[in-house]
Each structure stands twice: as C-alpha cells, then as structure tokens.
C-alpha cells in the first residue's frame, strides 16, 4: 500500500470552481484569438480588398515600356536621310527570368556568339529597371530569329521581337549635318540631373537612343516622340499569355524634320572630294537655304546605333584627316586669296578708288619682303582680284590697317556662329587691335604694321570656316542684303521662317566692282578659268581662288608632294549663274597643295552643275535653242 496520500478537496464547490476558472481562461483566450482573426479577415476582405485586388492584377499583368519610333529626317524633296528599319532581336526580362545563368546558357546554344558578350549582358540585365527587356542580341538574321522563336515559350522572361532601329540610307554623306544616335550614357543622365530634373524612365531602356551630333542632337526632343507601354498578362512562371490592349498605350512617333539640303547635290559633293579632306557648303543666295553641307572624309553613322567597335573608333580618331570632325562648321582655316574682296571693300569705304593703279613687281617690302604669285605689272582692283595679285592687297591693307578690314569681314559673314540648328560651331578669328590686346600680353598686345599685309591677303591670325565662306559668297552674289543661312525647313509640318535679311549697307557700285573682279577670275586668263567652266552653253559662274599657306615656304610643303600636313590649303568660292545669281558655293580642301584654282575649283564646278541641272528654270535655259544673232541694220546714206 502506497504511503502517498491522494489530494483531497475539502468541498465539492472548491473542486468545481477551479475547473470553471481554467475553462473561462482558455475560452477567453480562444474567443479573443478568433476575434482578432475575424477582425483581420474583415480588414483584408472588406477594407483592403481593393488594394490587394490591384496587387493581384499587378502580379498578373506587367507594363513593358516601349520606345517610340524616331521621327524621319528628309531633304527638301522628301528624300529620306534618317529613318527607321525593322530589326529582329532577342531580349531578357530580369524580373521574369527564373535563372539568368541557365537562361543565357540556353540562348548561347541557339545563338553561339552571345557567349562572348555574356558578362556585359549580365551587367546590363542587373542594371535595368524592373520588367524592362534587355537585348541579348539585335539584328538577328531570319534564321536566327526563327530558331529562337521555336523555343521562346520554354524560356521564361525571354522575348523574341521585331523592333525598329535608326537607319541612315546614305551612310556617311550626311553623317555630320544630320548626325547620329547612340546609347544613353552616364554623362547624359548626369547632365539632366545637373539641370535639376530627374532623367525620364525611357533613358534606362536599353533600346532607347539619344541624338549625339548634328540635327539628331539639336532636335532630339522633337525626333524622339513619346514612349508607350504594353500591358501583358503573365502566368505564375512569368510566361506571356496575352495582352491587355485596353490597358496598353501606343507610343507616339517623333516628328518629321525637313531640311533644306538637296540629297543629290550633297552626294555629288562627297563624290568629287574622293580621298581629299575638307568641306563644301552651297547656299541659295536668294533665300539662304543651305543645299550642301558636306565634310570629307566622313564615317558611317549606322555603326553608332548599336555601338562602334573600339578598333574602328580608334582608327577614325587617330586618322590624320579626322573623319569625325565636321569641317564645314568646326574646322577653321586661313581663307587665303578668297578674302581679298573684303580688303578691297574696306579700302573703297576708306576712300580708295577701284581704278587706282598699283604696280606689281613680284614683291612688296615693309620691313621684310612679302612675295607675290608673279609679276603682274599695273593693276586696278578688278584685275587684282582676277590675277590674285598679292602686292595690290598688301598695299591696301598696310594703308587702312586691321580695324577697317575686320569691320568689313564681320559684315560679310565672318567671325560668328549661325543659328542653323547645329551648335558647337567654331566661329574662327577676325583679328583687330582690340582682339590682339585681349589675347596677347606685353609688347605683343600691340598690332604691328608688318602684320597688316598678310591680313590683307587672308593669312595671319585670320581663321574662317566653310559655312562662313558660303555666306560671304552669297552676300557678294546678292550685292544688297546680308543673306543668312537656313538648314531646317520644317519640324512636324510647321514651317520654319526664313531669316530676315538686313541691308548689307554698301553702295551697290562698290559691290559691283567685287562681282566684276570675280567674274574675271573665271573668264579667259583668270586664275580659275580652266577648271571652272560649267559646260552648260553660255552659262557661267563667278569665283575667287585661294591658297592658304600652312608653313613657311623655306621649309617646303608647297605643291601636292611631301608631307600631307605641311601642304597648303586650297579654297574656292563661287556663285552663278553670273547674270542671275542663285547659288553660292565654298570649297575648302585641307592640305590639298598646288593652287585653289587647280584643286578646289573643279569640285565647285561639279556641285554647281548639279544644282543648275536640278533647277527647272535654269535647265530650261540650258536646253533652249541658241537665239540667232540679230544682223546689224546698215546705216542709211545721208
């Protein structure tokens, strides 16, 4: 028998009370728990029902940002200069891909060349915003696209799509004027933030491109359009099962830009340059429309769309003829003898007579010897322009000084940028006494008399670009107005107004002296006669040759031979037809050697021929049968 005594309750009520307390305690806890659970369920199902319903829909639907088709760029006749073409691509969406490494392994089996870019692809995928597809490979062939499409349903987060990418049908012909697009860089993002704005989401889309140079850059906002988004339905594994068309928003294409350029004339300009380096600009001297703005050599802007291989970019960058530089507006050169009409006008405004005779014996002396291109003998202003006599203009420049020359040079179009839609122009240098004081120190701040003769023939500190030379030629051809250039004809169907032309401010008789001198240049015996004949019946152009010295001749460098960088620059400005000026042209051949009439004039001739033959009125004149000469009426005997 056990020694332990059982627990005993003295009273029945005491035993029941203990049981009831435990029962109520556990029941209260249970009821409280059920109450909290019920309240939470009520909150979720009634109060938060809408929020969680939207979250469920969000998990079911993904909004995928879409890049807008970039606006077209066309020439004055509607010829496409920059457009878009279809491109097959395969992309990966990070938030839908279950195993990125395994997915890339499978893609590499279908597209073996993607394995080489695997590290870069992973980096771009990890940096991309949510649900933004990152291209693994673009510009797939049809066979590659079909191969991927067969297995795309078995690869969660992999998309095989047909997109649009930028395309430049003429390659390098318009690379500098139209420009090109490229991927958004960190610098682009920081530039937006420095302006106090947040970069738009489209900047982070790997298929988006931003304008880099030329019109693509200056009108980037008009050309890029507005992005859209596609709402797609996905299953639990991230596969696309359909599209919510009502919830999607189509992208708005960019606006069409019409330029004043003429595609035929521009292409002809690049043809005639061949392997030479330089620039050509042609303008309508009645309206200011730029018809040609070419820089040679050029480059293929299509390579920038997907990314230029480093080896090719390095070759462009290191090539001494610098294909990446827009020589029409960024390259500056001494204008040489094309500048002599400026010196002539400056002298006439200071009272010099164009009929004054200055004798050229082959050199001019002012502290040292200044050579001429020959012994021209007695020269008036028109014949000095015709024969490009240095001595004549040395003499005028020494007499009137730099300030008088600079005043006319600026009025004729030099030393400034033009609002044509292309920024970062090099305005060059138009020197005068004030300029020298600001840019030199000590005794060199003073303008020395011996610096004026070189200035008078377009040398020395003077530097101009090809666009300025074309404006200059247009103003001489017009004779009365400050012709202003225009490159953008319309944007989105809205015509851009032609710039207002102010009065040139010179007596037309003085301008006529310059015109007659340039007409003699392309006449028999002129420095540009042989290579400036149009071969279009009696139609002729006026011009002025120029040869800009690069180094001292005692170190060599003159002519076509020798080191390329030490050769002279060759220039030619022209306008035509002489009896009804419509088109003005400037040609700069960088380190062409020889003389402007030999190297640059033939290029101007071919561009001028193209413009005239495309002009219906002038073509009708060319094709018109020759008019019979009217016989002289004999005098009646008295």
């Amino acid at each position: 028998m056990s020694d332990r005594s059982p627990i005993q309750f003295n009273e029945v009520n005491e035993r029941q009370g203990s049981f009831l307390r435990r029962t109520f305690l556990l029941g209260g806890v249970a009821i409280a728990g059920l109450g909290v659970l019920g309240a939470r369920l009520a909150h979720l199902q009634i109060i938060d029902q809408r929020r969680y319903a939207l979250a469920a829909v969000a998990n079911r639907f993904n909004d995928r940002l879409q890049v807008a088709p970039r606006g077209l760029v066309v020439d004055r006749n509607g010829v496409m200069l920059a457009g878009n073409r279809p491109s097959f691509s395969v992309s990966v969406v990070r938030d839908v891909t279950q195993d990125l490494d395994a997915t890339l392994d499978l893609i590499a089996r279908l597209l073996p060349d993607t394995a080489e870019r695997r590290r870069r692809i992973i980096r771009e995928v990890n940096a991309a915003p949510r649900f933004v597809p990152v291209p693994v490979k673009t510009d797939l062939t049809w066979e590659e696209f079909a191969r991927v499409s067969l297995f795309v349903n078995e690869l969660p987060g992999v998309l095989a799509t047909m997109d649009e990418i930028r395309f430049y049908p003429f390659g390098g012909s318009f690379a500098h004027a139209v420009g090109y697009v490229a991927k958004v860089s960190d610098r682009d993002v920081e530039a937006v933030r420095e302006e106090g704005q947040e970069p738009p989401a489209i900047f982070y889309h790997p298929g988006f491109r931003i304008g880099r140079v030329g019109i693509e850059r200056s009108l980037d906002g008009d050309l890029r359009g507005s992005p859209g988004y596609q709402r797609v339905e996905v299953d639990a594994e991230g596969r696309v099962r359909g599209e919510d068309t009502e919830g999607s928003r189509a992208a708005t294409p960019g606006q069409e830009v019409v330029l004043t350029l003429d595609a035929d004339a521009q292409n002809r300009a690049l043809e005639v340059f061949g392997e030479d380096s330089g620039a050509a600009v042609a303008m309508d001297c009645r309206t200011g429309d730029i018809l040609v703005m070419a820089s040679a050599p050029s480059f293929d802007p299509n390579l920038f769309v997907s990314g230029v291989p480093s080896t090719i970019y390095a070759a462009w960058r290191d090539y001494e003829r610098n294909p990446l530089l827009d020589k029409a507006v960024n390259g500056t050169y001494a204008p040489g003898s094309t500048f002599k009409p400026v010196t002539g006008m400056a002298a006439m405004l200071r009272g010099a007579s164009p009929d004054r005779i200055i004798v050229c014996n082959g050199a001019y002396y002012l502290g040292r010897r200044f050579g001429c291109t020959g012994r021209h003998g007695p020269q008036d202003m028109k014949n000095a322009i015709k024969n490009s006599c240095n001595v004549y203009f040395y003499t005028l420049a020494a007499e009137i000084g730099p300030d008088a020359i600079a005043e006319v040079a600026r009025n004729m179009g030099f030393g400034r940028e033009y609002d044509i839609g292309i920024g970062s122009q090099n305005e060059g240098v138009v020197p005068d006494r004030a300029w020298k004081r600001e840019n030199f120190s000590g005794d060199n701040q003073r303008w020395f008399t011996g610096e004026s003769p070189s200035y008078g023939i377009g040398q020395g500190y003077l530097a101009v670009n090809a666009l300025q030379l074309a404006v200059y030629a247009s103003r001489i051809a017009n004779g009365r107005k400050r012709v202003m250039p225009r490159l953008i004809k319309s944007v989105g169907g809205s015509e851009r107004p032609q710039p207002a032309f102010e009065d040139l401010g010179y007596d037309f008789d003085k301008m006529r002296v310059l015109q007659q001198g340039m007409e003699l240049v392309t006449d028999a015996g002129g420095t540009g006669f042989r290579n400036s004949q149009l071969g279009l019946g009696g139609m002729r152009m006026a011009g002025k040759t120029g040869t800009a010295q690069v180094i001292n001749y005692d170190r060599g460098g003159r002519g076509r031979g020798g080191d390329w960088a030490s050769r002279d620059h060759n220039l030619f400005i022209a306008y035509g037809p002489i009896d009804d000026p419509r088109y003005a042209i400037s040609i700069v051949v960088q380190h062409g050697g020889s003389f402007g009439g030999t190297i640059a004039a033939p290029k101007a001739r071919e561009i001028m021929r193209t413009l005239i033959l495309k002009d219906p009125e002038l073509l009708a004149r060319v094709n018109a049968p020759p008019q019979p000469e009217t016989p002289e009426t004999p005098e009646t005997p008295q």
Side-chain angles (χ1 to χ4, degrees), residues 146-459:
R147 193 186 312 145
V148 174
S149 298
L150 286 175
F151 295 95
V152 71
N153 288 332
E154 301 177 16
L155 300 172
V158 176
L159 306 175
T161 58
M162 186 183 76
D163 306 305
E164 286 191 351
I165 63 172
R166 202 56 161 169
F167 175 61
Y168 302 97
F170 292 103
S173 293
F174 297 88
H176 299 94
V178 173
Y180 57 84
V181 297
K183 294 180 179 180
V184 176
S185 66
D186 293 339
R187 187 179 301 176
D188 297 318
V189 174
E190 288 303 318
V192 174
R193 287 176 176 161
E194 288 174 1
E195 296 177 357
Q197 302 176 9
E198 190 62 26
I202 195 67
F203 267 37
Y204 301 99
H205 193 292
F208 178 72
R209 298 293 182 268
I210 192 171
R212 275 282 173 261
V213 298
I215 294 298
E216 291 277 30
R217 178 178 180 178
S218 62
L219 296 180
D220 185 62
D222 300 293
L223 289 166
R224 72 170 62 160
S226 301
Y229 58 85
Q230 181 187 30
R231 174 164 289 187
V232 295
E233 184 179 2
V234 296
D235 59 18
E237 295 182 349
R239 296 186 180 92
V240 175
R241 295 305 182 189
E243 179 184 358
D244 178 8
T245 56
E246 294 183 359
S248 301
R249 186 185 70 187
T252 303
Q255 300 184 65
E256 182 180 83
V257 173
V258 181
L259 303 182
T260 61
L261 296 174
D262 183 282
D264 293 328
Q266 179 92 357
N267 285 323
R268 185 59 177 147
L270 265 295
E271 286 177 4
V272 299
F273 261 87
E275 296 182 359
D276 285 328
S277 175
V281 178
M283 291 174 57
D284 187 322
C285 53
R286 301 164 301 173
T287 65
D289 283 358
I290 299 174
L291 305 170
V292 172
M293 193 160 71
S295 179
S298 191
F299 60 91
D300 187 357
N302 290 296
L303 295 180
F304 281 94
V305 178
S306 298
V308 181
S310 58
T311 53
I312 294 178
Y313 186 83
W316 288 344
R317 182 197 59 210
D318 298 335
Y319 184 35
E320 63 180 352
R321 304 194 182 193
N322 201 351
L324 296 174
L325 176 67
D326 185 353
K327 300 178 182 69
V329 295
N330 293 125
T332 58
Y333 314 90
S337 295
T338 62
F339 189 74
K340 288 174 179 175
V342 169
T343 305
M345 175 58 74
M348 287 190 287
L349 293 176
R350 296 305 188 275
S353 170
D355 298 323
R356 173 189 175 186
I357 299 298
I358 297 175
V359 178
C360 170
N361 291 316
Y364 176 80
Y365 294 89
L366 185 65
R368 67 177 181 87
R369 182 182 185 276
F370 293 85
C372 194
T373 56
R375 292 176 177 268
H376 299 107
Q379 299 285 294
D380 62 7
M381 189 173 293
K382 287 184 288 188
N383 280 287
I385 293 174
K386 169 189 175 182
N387 298 314
S388 202
C389 177
N390 288 349
V391 168
Y392 186 93
F393 294 99
Y394 286 150
T395 304
L396 295 183
E399 292 174 353
I400 62 178
D403 293 349
I405 297 173
E407 181 182 341
V408 175
R410 295 188 181 104
N411 196 39
M412 295 297 272
F414 297 115
R416 58 163 296 177
E417 293 186 14
Y418 289 98
D419 184 15
I420 59 172
I422 294 180
S424 304
Q425 300 171 34
N426 191 333
E427 65 182 23
V429 176
V430 175
D432 54 16
R433 290 185 175 89
W435 173 86
K436 202 167 183 211
R437 284 194 299 270
E438 293 173 2
N439 290 275
F440 288 82
S441 60
D443 190 52
N444 287 327
Q445 288 181 305
R446 181 168 60 91
W447 186 277
F448 298 100
T449 304
E451 294 174 318
S452 293
S454 295
Y455 192 7
I457 64 164
Q459 296 274 179

Side-chain angles (χ1 to χ4, degrees), residues 283-287 473-479 483 508 512 515 519 540-542 574-584 608 612 615 618 621:
M283 291 174 57
D284 187 322
C285 53
R286 301 164 301 173
T287 65
S474 296
R475 292 182 180 183
I476 293 177
N478 187 288
V483 180
F508 186 72
R512 187 66 190 132
Q515 291 176 347
E519 291 169 11
R540 291 178 51 223
M541 65 179 182
Y575 65 85
I578 285 176
D579 59 341
D580 180 21
R582 296 195 179 191
Y583 306 114
M608 183 69 77
I612 289 175
D615 188 310
L618 297 182
R621 282 181 53 187

Side-chain angles (χ1 to χ4, degrees), residues 33-80:
L34 290 173
V36 170
L37 182 60
R40 181 58 178 163
L41 289 174
H43 191 275
L44 291 174
Q45 295 181 3
I46 300 174
I47 299 175
D48 283 348
Q49 184 271 339
R50 179 175 176 80
R51 180 162 68 92
Y52 284 100
L54 292 176
V57 172
N59 289 330
R60 180 185 172 195
F61 292 96
N62 290 337
D63 291 336
R64 294 179 176 174
L65 198 62
Q66 291 186 318
V67 178
R70 200 164 174 86
L72 304 182
V73 180
V74 301
D75 84 337
R76 64 189 302 108
N77 300 310
V79 177
M80 188 175 70

Side-chain angles (χ1 to χ4, degrees), residues 20-40:
L20 289 174
R21 282 195 299 271
R22 293 179 183 178
T23 301
F24 284 130
L25 179 61
L26 293 175
V29 171
I31 293 172
L34 290 173
V36 170
L37 182 60
R40 181 58 178 163

